[in-house]
Amino acid sequence: MRLTNFFLSTLREAPADADVVSQKLMLRAGMIKKLAAGIYTYMPMGLRSIRKIEKIIHEEMAAAGAVELLMPVIQPAELWMETGRWQKYGPELMRVKDRHGRDFIVQPTSEEAVTDIARNEIKSYRQLPVNFYHIQTKFRDERRPRFGVMRGREFTMKDAYSFDRDEAGAAKSYDAMFAAYQRIFTRMGLTFRAVKADTGAIGGSRSHEFQVIADTGEDAIAYCPASDYAANIELAEALPLLASRAAPRQAMVKTPTPGKAKCDDVATLLDLPLAQTVKSIVLAVEKVNENGDPLPAEVWLLLVRGDHELNEIKAGKIPGLGKGFRFATEAEIVEHFGCKPGYLGPIGLKKPAQLAVDRTVANMSDFISGANEEDFHFTGVNWARDLPEPALVADIRNVVVGDPSPDGKGTLAIQRGIEVGHVFYLGTVYSAPMKATFLDENGKPQLLEMGCYGIGVTRLLGASIEQNHDDKGIIWPDAIAPFEVVICPLGYDRNEAVRAAADHLHKELIAAGIDVVLDDRGERPGVMFADWELIGVPHRITVGDRGLKENNVEYQHRRDEKATVVPVPVIAHLVKSKIARLASPKGETA
RNA sequence: CGGGGUGUAGCGCAGCCCGGUAGCGCGCCUGGUUUGGGACCAGGAUGUCGUAGGUUCGAAUCCUAUCACCCCGACCA
């Protein structure tokens, strides 16, 4: 590709509304252009990377036996009513009406559409298993789109859906997708980790997220360096930190703690470890009577240790909180505790509240909690003696660094990640309400067993940049770089020898199957170098008059400090050997 | 959704308080000189000052409404 036949527009300064480094760099490198909040045009340079990501996905999906189809972006509301998601999805689901006033949605995902295909097309067990996928535009009307293409409203996703005759078959399909995902992200040159993920309302154990490791990631991952345990922090099990409860040693004392509303402040004031304090969190569950009229909310008190944090996903698994909860209002708190937030505790409530206690708290003794009186805490609080044994003990906190690993093989570490893929066993969650069945050998209808598997194609662009950049710009892995190699001739517009050598090298690299761009603008070297370092093309060849006199050019990888002098006759071979291309899968792919 | 902020040239910004007919840097165009790390000189083009009302002889500037965008808030007693 000659640059003058392509399109390039780089910016020296990033638009002021860009918030994360990947978004700034993509805007500056001219890869994307913002059209509206969370909605981007993929400019030619950015689209090249997207196409390379898609190509790798297509190859690996085919190798894993998945079949491509293409389902519509606009889907009729009826389909979404069948599964109840028309009601359940909320404002994130983009709803539109056609000219006749009929309801449609802009797809955020395609379970309904694909299950509709399956129930119409799959009639016999002989057609199973089958795995349909597409790469298609999605729309999720995020409350607050941000982080550029990593949390956009419109984005491109690969979504695959497997159909099997039974759970054992579905498990096989799941494993095949899991393996394909590992190959996909490996080929893309990303550092990633597959982690256990929350399965939400669907339940079961089969759900993994693929997280690209990056400090700026939105997700926290707990993993055990001594074993292969890794889980999203939403899910990672927090074991009790105290094996058993020690006998009380202190009397319960009401202690003045004026103005100390946080556990941290109380511990500092009393010169006691934060781990001796207990944090009180008040939740509320909306209630309605049989006519659907609102009743006063049910108030819950949750206790975690002062240095721990509540995990809302885990709390949602407590019976009674499962149908949804919110943080209590100050009015509700005052009504039940007779006290403003900051001094709340489980002793001396004005009105009873449901109590749920973290496993670690349940084994604490001589602990500190709020006294339900402004500016006072209790110290030396003990279960059984000062308040009843907790009836409801559960894992309701986030794990922290140093916690014992749930597999018993060491302690947990935490790192941040960007979720770029998710594999999920669905069972019959969609096939049952949509009555998607097939006939088994006995001619009996059976529900299809499903799994779904997503990859955020456009999010991968951002995730790769978050993981690979420096102060000059992007550093693409070879496999998804918009170009693998750039030739920068010094004086292309005015030096015959340079132009001839650059043109010749350009042709030679094309012939060698390398994705190369020739910067034939005749720009000054500083401009060229700055542009290509910003864009992040991994391999650069500089052709200059000076070197050509000795029949040399220069090679520099984007991560290299300095250029290497290379004789002209060997440069093509050298570059080819430098490009780390993991082989495409053999067999069925083109 | 609640609070805060910002909308002025392709990008980054000043001008607004104190009303007088719009400016700077980068980029862009023309010519020249340059040419191994974002060159220099000379000349030039580009704005319905987010939108709609209002006040005024006169509004980017003051007032009202509206839209868009950004930030903070949803681990907290």
Side-chain angles (χ1 to χ4, degrees):
Chain A
M1 176 73 73
R2 291 176 160 269
L3 190 60
T4 50
N5 292 333
F6 194 60
F7 185 84
L8 182 71
S9 65
T10 54
L11 288 174
R12 209 147 172 168
E13 287 173 285
D17 54 9
D19 46 12
V20 289
V21 64
S22 59
Q23 185 188 16
K24 286 182 183 149
L25 290 175
M26 288 174 83
L27 286 164
R28 286 187 54 207
M31 305 197 86
I32 57 171
K33 202 76 180 151
K34 186 162 126 175
L35 185 62
I39 300 177
Y40 293 87
T41 296
Y42 302 103
M43 295 298 283
M45 194 66 75
L47 190 60
R48 287 185 72 92
S49 284
I50 289 175
R51 293 293 183 238
K52 290 192 178 184
I53 291 170
E54 291 176 346
K55 182 160 184 280
I56 292 172
I57 292 173
H58 282 306
E59 287 174 357
E60 294 296 341
M61 291 304 286
V67 191
E68 190 187 8
L69 47 54
L70 189 61
M71 292 176 278
V73 171
I74 304 292
Q75 302 177 358
E78 288 75 25
L79 220 44
W80 287 69
M81 290 172 181
E82 281 190 56
T83 57
R85 287 214 288 181
W86 175 259
Q87 289 79 19
K88 267 185 278 178
Y89 217 106
E92 254 184 48
L93 181 64
M94 184 81 164
R95 297 151 210 261
V96 291
K97 282 183 192 294
D98 71 3
R99 65 196 299 164
H100 306 290
R102 287 191 278 254
D103 288 314
F104 287 83
I105 60 100
V106 183
Q107 65 146 359
T109 168
S110 280
E111 281 84 2
E112 281 81 359
V114 78
T115 306
D116 183 59
I117 294 292
R119 69 179 167 187
N120 289 316
E121 301 296 329
I122 299 175
K123 288 153 178 113
S124 158
Y125 72 94
R126 292 173 193 271
Q127 292 169 282
L128 298 174
V130 65
N131 185 335
F132 292 121
Y133 83 99
H134 66 171
I135 297 180
Q136 178 64 293
T137 300
K138 301 288 184 294
F139 197 94
R140 292 181 189 172
D141 200 359
E142 294 275 347
R143 171 166 31 183
R144 200 176 137 200
R146 56 195 151 156
F147 308 141
V149 297
M150 290 198 295
R151 187 169 287 284
R153 292 194 291 172
E154 183 178 299
F155 58 100
T156 305
M157 184 166 96
K158 188 280 310 184
D159 40 328
Y161 305 89
S162 64
F163 296 89
D164 280 273
R165 55 178 308 174
D166 54 26
E167 202 174 328
K172 270 185 156 176
S173 296
Y174 183 99
D175 293 341
M177 281 294 109
F178 187 96
Y181 276 33
Q182 289 193 302
R183 285 194 301 271
I184 288 168
F185 299 125
T186 301
R187 281 182 63 187
M188 287 179 190
L190 297 168
T191 303
F192 67 96
R193 197 184 278 281
V195 307
K196 286 184 184 157
D198 183 53
T199 49
I202 293 162
S205 59
R206 286 190 166 262
S207 175
H208 286 86
E209 290 165 353
F210 288 79
Q211 298 271 356
V212 167
I213 305 307
D215 293 339
T216 49
E218 279 196 275
D219 290 334
I221 304 160
Y223 69 101
C224 177
S227 72
D228 60 359
Y229 180 83
N232 191 307
I233 203 158
E234 292 175 346
L235 179 79
E237 183 183 4
L239 299 173
L241 296 180
L242 303 164
S244 62
R245 191 188 301 158
R249 298 173 57 187
Q250 301 173 7
M252 186 172 88
V253 179
K254 190 160 132 188
T255 310
T257 51
K260 306 298 178 192
K262 304 232 173 218
C263 288
D264 216 352
D265 298 336
V266 172
T268 306
L269 175 78
L270 302 177
D271 196 22
L272 289 166
L274 184 56
Q276 204 57 36
T277 64
V278 165
K279 193 186 281 186
S280 298
I281 299 150
V282 186
L283 304 180
V285 178
E286 305 280 359
K287 292 283 175 188
V288 292
N289 65 16
E290 54 275 15
N291 297 328
D293 305 319
L295 295 172
E298 180 179 79
V299 169
W300 284 71
L301 174 63
L302 273 62
L303 300 181
V304 298
R305 206 169 74 177
D307 56 335
H308 290 155
E309 288 179 337
L310 177 70
N311 179 314
E312 291 182 41
I313 306 250
K314 290 178 179 177
K317 289 174 183 166
I318 294 174
L321 291 175
K323 293 231 170 84
F325 59 83
R326 56 172 169 79
F327 288 99
T329 63
E330 188 154 327
E332 287 164 342
I333 290 172
V334 171
E335 184 189 342
H336 284 78
F337 294 82
C339 170
K340 287 205 283 192
Y343 308 91
L344 306 179
I347 299 174
L349 274 64
K350 245 171 105 182
K351 283 173 78 174
Q354 304 286 329
L355 182 69
V357 177
D358 182 67
R359 290 164 164 181
T360 295
V361 174
N363 281 350
M364 286 170 71
S365 47
D366 298 326
F367 59 84
I368 302 160
S369 79
N372 292 323
E373 184 178 334
E374 194 164 347
D375 295 338
F376 286 95
H377 281 75
F378 285 124
T379 60
V381 180
N382 283 280
W383 296 107
R385 188 190 69 184
D386 305 319
L387 72 171
E389 283 286 345
L392 208 173
V393 178
D395 172 19
I396 55 172
R397 70 172 175 96
N398 281 334
V399 294
V400 294
V401 173
D403 275 1
S405 175
D407 64 4
K409 290 182 185 160
T411 58
L412 292 177
I414 291 177
Q415 59 188 181
R416 301 203 69 86
I418 301 163
E419 184 190 346
V420 293
H422 198 161
V423 293
F424 207 114
Y425 166 63
L426 289 173
T428 59
V429 176
Y430 291 92
S431 53
M434 294 184 67
K435 300 183 182 62
T437 60
F438 64 96
L439 296 179
D440 66 13
E441 290 96 323
N442 304 316
K444 291 258 161 52
Q446 304 286 349
L447 286 174
L448 286 160
E449 282 280 336
M450 294 174 57
C452 67
Y453 318 94
I455 293 180
V457 174
T458 40
R459 180 180 282 186
L460 273 165
L461 276 189
S464 175
I465 295 169
E466 291 291 330
Q467 191 173 71
N468 300 292
H469 68 270
D470 61 16
D471 53 356
K472 292 177 186 161
I474 302 166
I475 305 172
W476 289 108
D478 292 349
I480 60 175
F483 294 99
E484 289 170 323
V485 179
V486 58
I487 300 171
C488 292
L490 306 180
Y492 189 84
D493 55 333
R494 67 196 143 78
N495 186 312
E496 196 62 45
V498 166
R499 191 185 321 139
D503 285 347
H504 182 262
L505 182 57
H506 183 224
K507 284 192 184 121
E508 193 181 356
L509 293 180
I510 290 171
I514 290 168
D515 189 18
V516 57
V517 60
L518 170 65
D519 191 339
D520 56 350
R521 289 178 296 175
E523 273 291 354
R524 299 167 60 87
V527 174
M528 271 194 292
F529 295 158
D531 275 345
W532 292 109
E533 280 158 1
L534 173 62
I535 294 163
V537 169
H539 306 275
R540 183 173 85 202
I541 300 167
T542 306
V543 179
D545 200 24
R546 227 159 58 190
L548 283 180
K549 288 188 175 129
E550 315 288 321
N551 204 27
N552 287 328
V553 293
E554 287 163 38
Y555 167 84
Q556 185 170 0
H557 188 271
R558 179 66 177 75
R559 289 188 193 274
D560 290 346
E561 286 284 314
K562 279 186 172 168
T564 312
V565 174
V566 181
V568 170
V570 302
I571 183 67
H573 179 77
L574 175 89
V575 166
K576 200 164 185 186
S577 71
K578 292 262 186 194
I579 294 174
R581 240 187 248 170
L582 293 179
S584 303
K586 301 224 166 22
E588 301 184 28
T589 51

